Amino acid sequence: MDREWGRTSVTDFPEHSRQLMRNLGTGPEGLSTREAERRLQVRGPNEIADKRGRHRVSAMIRQFTHPLALLLWLAAVLAAVSGVVQLGLAIVAVIVLNAILAYVQEQHAEHAVAALSDYVPQQAWVVRDGRRNHVLARELVPGDLLVVEEGDQVSADAQLISGAVEVDMAVLTGESNPVERDSTARDIARRPLDSPILVFSGTTCISGTATGIVTATGSHTELGRIAALTRGVRSEPSPLELQVRRVAWLIAAVAVGVGALFLPLGLLAGLSPAAAFVFTIGLLVANVPEGMLPTITLALAAGSRTLAGKGAVVKRLSSVETLGCTTVICTDKTGTLTANRMRVTDVASDAPSVLVAAAARCTTADLGSTGDPTELALLSYAAEHGQPVDPSEREAGRRKVFRFETHLKRMSTVDVHAGSLVLTVKGAPEEVLPLCSTVIDARVNSVPLDDELLRHWENAVTAMTGQALRVLAVATRGVTEPVGERDDAESGLCLLGLLGLLDPPRPEVRAAVTDCHSAGIRIHVVTGDNGRTATEIAKQVGIDVSRSIDGHELDTMSESQLDALLGEDTEVVFSRASPEAKLRIADALRDTHHVVAMTGDGVNDAPALRRADIGIAMGCSGTDVARQAATVVLTDDNFATIAIGIREGRRVFANVRKFVLYIFAHSVPEVVPFLVFALSGGMIPLPLTVLQILAIDLGTETLPALALGREPAEPGLMAQPPRPTREGVITRQLLWRAWALMGGMSALLALGAFLIVLVQGGWHPGDDVSTGTPLHETYLQATTVSFLSIVACQIGTAMAARTSLASLRSVGLTTNRLLVGGIAFEIMFAAALVYMPPLQTVFGTAGVAPWMLLMMLPMPVAVWGIDEAYRCRLRRHADASRQHPDTLASTRPTMSVTG
């Protein structure tokens, strides 16, 4: 409801506020409504722009224009030109299905900017025309007088000109402790976020009331700056996406090359133009594994579901595989390596009771509810030692609170204690000790804190931090009202002693660190905590720390120095590091060719989370913006879950190779029939129709391929070094197994079965088998047998593809129940195409005799057997290589990258 605003003169405000009013053309009565509307037209609305909408059309177009889609479009056009409209429509349907699947996944990838927008409230109180009004937050403009009260979310960046408030800045700084903002404070902060007179968009007012002049709106706010930085840090394609893209281009090149080579060959061999077109379509369709992209997508989705059940929610499917390529992890300490459950374990004081009572009094938390973990630990320790603090009595005796400030690393309270006003300070020893001039002794007297005593307490701090303790120094002094400025109040203190608090390492982290080390992964700790404490915790969990670098030292490092440090084969603790430092570290690691997994929880972490190959946000303690910017969210904030994710990522990539091997093995028996048809000049009819190829690629092979994506990990997975990101999905060894061994065997068996059925039916080379001829039914049976032979060979290929080196016997014939089910479906699907009249008409199949079915029974064993023999030879070489690594190095199977 509008109300009259107090009549205030410009001269009532401090000089810096008067100067700001002059610069922004405003005054104590605020802007006029007309001026505010004009500025809104010039400056634009107070919103963080989300530019994703304009890219959605191009994103959808991209799904229809990648190499595999273009090949299928070409096949569809050729089908339409040659009069086979039904085939062309079937191919178009495949393109549309693949495009929809890929587009839906891509749209789930970008939400960080939208989450940032959610931090801007919908309405705000402003003073305009001398009256207080409720306006839409999007209508705020620079120069508006913004009123901030308890419970409000700040709508724009503003400089306070009257009043004081406590603000929760966690959204911007990650600090859970509220900070005080006072219009009368002296601003000596080095950065805007630490200024005592500035409030920022997206933060929350915890208590108090103040008025400020809006200095920035929308994208010009601190929140908007982070949004722009987050938007500017492009999420680069994952290693798997790059490899799939290379595979797609490889397939496209092979398909176009084969078509260009054999189309004129077919015409020269005497084929009619229509037959040559059918031949070209067949080659294109046979060379394009239509089910590969959706199969990879669904396999990654399965890996994502597995990780979700173990505490890691993966938002970008390809990130499941990227985890497996990780070479460096940059992890927080508190809550990730540790349990985030502080407790007091050491007290250093000549008057411990006085120290504990004072420390418990200098708190704002309540044991009966949630609060800062450190303060809860202090209250709990005091209660356990007979000095409980009643929150209501504490608040009744409280006169002033100087909130914890990030740059000061301390907080103070002024309370009535034993009939007198007492100021109590607790905070980082390096900040509190310089403020002390005396220290309490065993007789509870103050004695001068001379150089010798100061060294004693500094050594005590060193000893406690060396035990991985978080150390708090507590000091006090008597004061009189009014208390005055913070700098004056927090001086001439009497040191009461030190408290050592422990946030113990999570018990499961050490084993996870060992797993990461055995997998060739380095671990750096990036924390805002004390360097000694962080280093000791890191050592306790097995991180081999060679150096600890604090925030100031990091800021003074040149890019080349940081690159050189991170390029060493060492592990580093970055202590007292600001959230912005994470972006610099991520950039340096990526520039030195590492695959980086980076943890974070604050808004300022969002750019680094997006910059890292794997951004990992904390699900329990993190902000919404961090969770949206990240690609992985840990629901338990546990480092051990990262190691589980890496293991799962490696397993997923290994399984991607398995079903790519499985799919590629079938391209040979699909292509060979068309080559035989062309090279024979049509004397041998087509052993397989194009629709039967589609039935194989999208029907019989899909479920077994998906089942291979769920294959359990082979032994020794986490004992291998990280896979180089340049190493392709397709290797020469994979192609040898797929095309030469299993594919070649399958082609021979399928073509042989086709010819046997034809000859048995009375066919001779060159005989007409078209519709209406006596041999047409025999031809239909022969193509059906060819189709069924490939299906039978798929069963053997699926079993062989389950391992890259181990024997099938070692992993068990039926341990992958999904594969058994997929093979059962494959057989039933093939039977339906062969024996159901409606499907016979569509796919050109016919019922076959029992002897023809019996001919296929040994085919799976033959295909699996030839690959099993090859893997047996590889195992023998591997065993011999371990015994004689030098003499047999040259005999190892080649694994170089193709594509």
Side-chain angles (χ1 to χ4, degrees), residues 598-619:
M598 173 79 71
T599 70
D601 52 16
V603 168
N604 270 5
D605 292 331
L609 292 176
R610 283 177 61 85
R611 180 60 176 158
D613 299 279
I614 293 290
I616 303 174
M618 302 298 108

Side-chain angles (χ1 to χ4, degrees), residues 237-247 725 899:
S238 72
L240 182 62
E241 289 171 324
L242 292 173
Q243 294 304 327
V244 170
R245 189 178 302 168
R246 290 172 186 168
V247 170
T725 55

Side-chain angles (χ1 to χ4, degrees), residues 486-520:
R486 180 168 192 165
D487 289 346
D488 295 331
E490 295 177 340
S491 62
L493 303 176
C494 176
L495 178 66
L496 300 182
L498 305 173
L499 290 167
L501 297 94
L502 177 68
D503 181 9
R506 293 177 182 264
E508 63 274 20
V509 168
R510 188 173 185 87
V513 169
T514 300
D515 272 354
C516 290
H517 284 164
S518 67

